[in-house]
Amino acid sequence: MSALRGRGLTRVYPSTAGDVTAIADIDIDIDAGELVVVRGASGAGKTTLLNLLGALDRPTAGTVWFDDVEATELDEDTLARVRRERLGFVFQSFGLIPVLSAAENVELPLRIARVPAAERDARVTDALRLVGLAGHAQQRPGELSGGQQQRVGIARAIVGRPRVLIADEPTAQLDSRTAASVIELIGELVHGEGIAAIVATHDPLVVQRADRIVELHDGRAAPTTVIESATT
């Protein structure tokens, strides 16, 4: 069973000029230990697809499943809990709180989930170790490089031990060398920790590390290659 899957995903936004279809009738499966890249031109629907798969938005039509749980049937409170327990999110803007240390930023989702203090400390230490920042736990975001800040963001995303990692343009604000190290890290986490990951990107470095590629054109998956092997 796939860790994350969508069936017939469609999202239509009303506007004064008429309905706008952001994505239409997309099927997708992502397995544990697999890195899937979504690529396409600006406006192709990449972020919309990730928002639906991450249950940050509800589809106009179609269903999203986290393992055996149909997310689109859940009420908002249950959905928030399931999302917190099963998903981790990485954003291009890092999204760190400036007044908190790296460790405190990583710890925040565990506090929200009311994880006991001793377990929080152990998980934060382990997450920072996995992203190579064990020695930077007490530094604030302003004292870290852009690449280090994104690594803190990744640590925060994985500290809850998610089944699925969702990343929207995670290298957009990084130089090529730093971006390469961040993508290497994501690949290692996916294949080493057995996390299922879906990444929206224009970055060819990310595409090179993908196990599979989803091509979007005007909100639709490519007609003959809904999911195309990255090695072909």
Side-chain angles (χ1 to χ4, degrees):
M1 179 181 295
S2 299
L4 175 65
R5 66 188 188 278
R7 290 291 179 271
L9 291 177
T10 298
R11 186 64 169 98
V12 178
Y13 296 99
S15 76
T16 55
D19 290 348
V20 176
T21 300
I23 64 168
D25 198 27
I26 291 179
D27 294 339
I28 185 170
D29 293 76
I30 306 168
D31 296 329
E34 182 178 42
L35 174 57
V36 174
V37 158
V38 179
R39 69 179 179 182
S42 179
K46 300 187 298 298
T47 296
T48 298
L49 177 60
L50 262 60
N51 286 344
L52 296 180
L53 291 172
L56 299 174
D57 189 15
R58 290 186 182 268
T60 305
T63 57
V64 174
W65 293 77
F66 306 146
D67 295 312
D68 58 347
V69 175
E70 186 179 347
T72 38
E73 284 193 339
L74 302 178
D75 61 59
E76 290 300 329
D77 289 342
T78 305
L79 183 59
R81 175 180 58 78
V82 171
R83 187 170 54 226
R84 185 169 62 242
E85 292 173 351
R86 301 190 183 216
L87 304 181
F89 296 89
V90 179
F91 305 102
Q92 61 177 295
S93 61
F94 311 150
L96 305 179
I97 298 175
V99 298
L100 299 182
S101 68
E104 289 167 336
N105 269 283
V106 174
E107 182 189 32
L108 191 58
L110 300 181
R111 283 186 172 273
I112 294 171
R114 299 182 179 179
V115 174
E119 184 178 352
R120 289 201 310 266
D121 291 344
R123 286 202 196 183
V124 169
T125 297
D126 189 47
L128 287 172
R129 177 188 59 79
L130 283 172
V131 302
L133 291 178
H136 299 271
Q138 300 310 312
Q139 290 181 270
R140 291 188 172 94
E143 300 170 323
L144 300 171
S145 69
Q148 288 172 328
Q149 289 182 56
Q150 189 59 293
R151 284 172 177 263
V152 173
I154 294 169
R156 182 184 55 197
I158 65 171
V159 74
R161 299 173 182 168
R163 287 270 291 152
V164 178
L165 184 68
I166 296 177
D168 191 2
E169 298 283 2
T171 62
Q173 297 193 42
L174 305 176
D175 62 71
S176 58
R177 181 176 178 180
T178 305
S181 70
V182 167
I183 291 308
E184 184 73 19
L185 169 62
I186 291 176
E188 289 172 356
L189 289 170
V190 169
H191 300 129
E193 302 296 318
I195 298 172
I198 181 165
V199 181
T201 188
H202 293 96
D203 191 336
L205 294 172
V206 185
V207 174
Q208 290 172 12
R209 287 301 305 261
D211 297 308
R212 290 188 290 130
I213 299 168
V214 176
E215 296 275 4
L216 291 185
H217 301 282
D218 297 325
R220 296 181 179 273
T224 57
T225 54
V226 174
I227 299 178
E228 168 188 303
S229 170
T231 59
T232 59

